[in-house]
Amino acid sequence: MAKDKKEETSGITAYSVKTKTKNVPMIDPVINVKSGKYIAIGKDSEGNNMSAILSKAKAEDFIKAGKAKQGEGWS
């Protein structure tokens, strides 16, 4: 059965532990800063939680482009 609503991905990909697949697109990511690391937290198309560690430059680029939201820990 086809999905009626097309979910838009952000361009951030991560490893899905539950399905054991690489480069799974993340939907609605929030980028938090913890201990100097930039961590994108979101869900895949099936609703499974995912996270990915990003560089500062990539994290800022995703936020500026509107593909991710700024979370906790930003100064």
Side-chain angles (χ1 to χ4, degrees), residues 4-34:
D4 296 330
K5 181 182 173 186
K6 182 179 178 185
E7 296 174 350
E8 191 164 328
T9 60
S10 63
I12 299 174
T13 59
Y15 177 77
S16 176
V17 175
K18 187 169 185 177
T19 61
K20 295 181 174 55
T21 53
K22 295 180 182 179
N23 298 324
V24 178
M26 191 178 291
I27 299 170
D28 295 331
V30 176
I31 300 176
N32 296 325
V33 181
K34 293 183 182 177

Side-chain angles (χ1 to χ4, degrees), residues 37-49:
K37 294 180 175 76
Y38 296 83
I39 304 168
I41 301 170
K43 296 185 181 265
D44 65 3
S45 61
E46 298 174 4
N48 300 318
N49 291 330

